[in-house]
Every structure is written in structure tokens, then in C-alpha cells.
Amino acid sequence: MVKAGAENLGDKSGSISLENVVSVNPDAIVLIHFGDNKKISDKDISKILTKNKALANVNAIKNNKIIITDLAETWAVGVRTVDAVERYSKELYPELFK
């Protein structure tokens, strides 16, 4: 994420809770979706976040800047990681890729 110009808020707080997200008010949220063989779709996860009233005033939620990614794109080193950096960059800074 740092390579794409983002900041990992989990590094500072150790964990991310709804309260942390609200207090930090990020411009974008990147959520790693793993471990359940996609029993819940990325679209459903996004909907859960956008419908949560506690998050209603968070910039990322208001501006629909929610990036949901697979663990393989973020954890392992390889081709997927390079693709992920490009994807995150395009989603975080679309104006740079016009």
C-alpha cells in the first residue's frame, strides 16, 4: 500500500475498529478479503460498510472510496503484488491515469 502512496493506519494503532476509522476519517479504505472462499461478495462487503450509520461521515464512505482486495494481492511477493500496486494506485489516484 505504501508503494501506491497510501498509509497503513493499522501500523499506528495496532488494530482497526469502527471507532478508529471514524476518528481517523480516511479518504479511502482498503479491506483485505480472505479466509471464507468468498461466501460473501466484495459488493456485499462494500454495502455493509456504506450502510453502517457509524461510518456515514467518513470521507471514504461518503466518496465510495472502498477498495476490496484478495489476500494474495497484498501478502505474497510476486506478479500479483505488482498488479495490486498498480490497481490501488489507479483506484486511489484515478486522475493520474487519465
Side-chain angles (χ1 to χ4, degrees), residues 25-96:
N25 193 20
D27 292 324
I29 294 173
V30 178
L31 182 88
I32 300 170
H33 186 190
F34 66 96
D36 67 357
N37 294 321
K38 297 277 187 171
K39 291 178 185 171
I40 182 171
S41 72
D42 292 352
K43 189 174 182 177
D44 289 339
I45 293 171
S46 204
K47 194 180 297 184
I48 289 167
L49 292 172
T50 57
K51 299 292 181 194
N52 188 317
K53 292 180 181 182
L55 299 174
N57 291 318
V58 173
N59 288 338
I61 302 299
K62 289 192 295 191
N63 298 318
N64 201 30
K65 281 284 201 173
I66 302 167
I67 301 167
I68 301 174
T69 184
D70 291 327
L71 181 62
E73 284 186 314
T74 57
W75 202 256
V77 176
V79 174
R80 288 184 179 175
T81 307
V82 173
D83 292 342
V85 170
E86 183 176 329
R87 177 181 161 221
Y88 303 152
S89 298
K90 286 179 178 177
E91 291 192 42
L92 292 169
Y93 311 104
E95 67 280 0
L96 298 177

